[in-house]
Amino acid sequence: MGRSQPFQQSIPTFWRLLRRFWPNIRKQWKLLIISAIALGAEVVLRLLEPWPLKFVFDYVLIAGADDRRSGLPLIQTLDPVILLTLAALSLVAITGLRAFASYWNTVSLASMGSRVTAEVRNQLYRHIQSLSLSYHTKAKSGDLLVRVNSDVNRLQEVLLTAVMPLVVSLLNLVSMVGMMFWLNRELALLALVTFPLFWLETTRLSQLIRQSAKQQRQRIGEVAATAAEGIGAIKVVQALSLQESFAQVFSRHNQKSLKKGVQTKRLAANLQRTIDVVMASGTALVLWYGSRLVLQNALSAGDVLVFLTYLRNAFRPVQKFAKYASRLAQAAASAERVLDILDETPDVRDLPGVVSAPTFQGAVRLDRVSFAYEPVHNILKDIQLEVQPGQQVALVGASGSGKSTLVSLLLRLYDPIAGRVMIDGRDIRKYTLASLRSQISVVLQDSLLFAATVWENIAYGVPDATRQDIEAAAQLANAHTFIEALPQGYNTILGERGATLSGGQRQRLAIARAAIRNTPILILDEPTTGLDKQNEHMVMAALEQLAQNRTTFMITHNLHMATHADVILYLEDGQVLEQGTHSELMQLNGRYAALYQMQIAVRDRNHDAEESGVAIS
Ligand code: ADP
Ligand code: MG
């Protein structure tokens, strides 16, 4: 991250973030209101904090200096002892209430944050579901998307650990400075004199501390790497008697890391000292000038007390601003990645007058469909295709022949440039995108897992799925057994920092995901590519289950999987070259038959080689 982008640059991102998720946030309006009220209360109570003390000073301790008590006749009539008692009680009450408000502010914000985050993750998932076909062709995005998921978590965390304290401190600062000006303008100006110095010093030193801390982390990383190297190669190291030189390298790195650590600590201590001195100067100024004002009867002693308290309470948190700002800048990077993915919408939109699709039967028709990503260069050319509900369609052909593109048209990731895609006899452009896509499930070659439990990973996109639903889906996908065998079963956290699964297991989770959606149409884009034989069998068996009674489009390079299909399409260069059942195409003795024979031959040769114990290279 280095010198991550300055905080100012991240403001538009946060604005974009707020606009984007405002509908989700607005749904939590109750929590939002509670949080706002609690926040307001917190600020006001902070403001009130020194006032009981002021009253005690002005009306109890300094009784006699009575000529200035013009404003509050009620207090003048009170018995000093009662006033004292009231002040003491309200001191406790104010602090207690403030703690209460702060608690509610944090709690309601936290639960709002986690609810919005859960929704955003669902949205992200649904979005990816519909986007990934085209998206996956462009980038190794699985990895990116998993990271995006952890970015969502980071955003939630930053909301609580940086945004909230920052807002509270800023409001405190503004309200207290406002109050100071209301009490006495000259003294307020004087109190603010040291502020620029305070600000400059804290930002300068904080930056140095951050840099130094970062370098220290790097050094620690080096130490760990050296240790790992030495231990990993321990046999070689001992065989070559390299222990001594390894130990030396290690201790050198260790020394460097220690030095950096000390430097960081020194800088932090330095910052603290500077702040203390600047604050003391500010306090001294206010005390000096304020007392003179008191002596001139322009101000009461209690007012000076209020000033001093505000000075301390308002400025102290400023030293943390630099820290918050840098966290926010980092969070902005996370936010951008999330937003970029969510904004990655193909130019496909709901047209006026669309209707929500009824539950599909699953009849699919492509009517002279042509498509191009870029003008003139047609990727699909005049495709004609008719599929009955529940039929299995296999798409085969060399890579780049347009198979993925063809199925992406069903999801309306793109619209054809000519012709129509129809489901149940109606142009899919007549349906809303949401209702169309919610009835199509997709299993890709590389299925991504989120950093969440198995439960959540399966039920993504179906928020109201019950545990039984999830288990049933896992059963269907041949996944139940291995899930149960995981350390925490269905509660195991998967993804980036969680348990790692084999490719076959991931695919079976993806199948469970598709199963729970229970859609009439299913798209499988090379679901077994890259799996070993045993996993391939398991995944294929699960897919067979899943495909039952659903119109299924399966892209595969494994022609064995295609043999059972009701229709096989052999694509070449964006055209359907051959179309028919396996036996029809074999009889035709064209491209498909040639490819099939070649695969059989290769398989048999491998098989023979295995039998006779000859190693295959
Ligand atoms: P297949 O799935 O059969 O391997 P694709 O449908 O992915 O083939 O790709 C067909 C052609 O379209 C290829 O030449 C590919 O380079 C091109 N293509 C795929 N996706 C895009 C895209 N998003 N933008 C531009 N060209 C693309
Ligand atoms: Mg493809």
Side-chain angles (χ1 to χ4, degrees), residues 133 137 399-400 402-405 445 525-526 555 557:
L133 279 179
T137 58
S399 13
K403 306 180 295 292
S404 298
T405 306
Q445 178 186 340
D525 194 345
E526 305 193 26
I555 299 174
H557 287 294

Side-chain angles (χ1 to χ4, degrees), residues 134 137-138 373-374 379 398-406 414:
S134 62
T137 58
K138 272 191 234 152
Y373 287 104
E374 288 134 33
I379 299 289
S399 13
S401 56
K403 306 180 295 292
S404 298
T405 306
L406 193 153
Y414 306 98

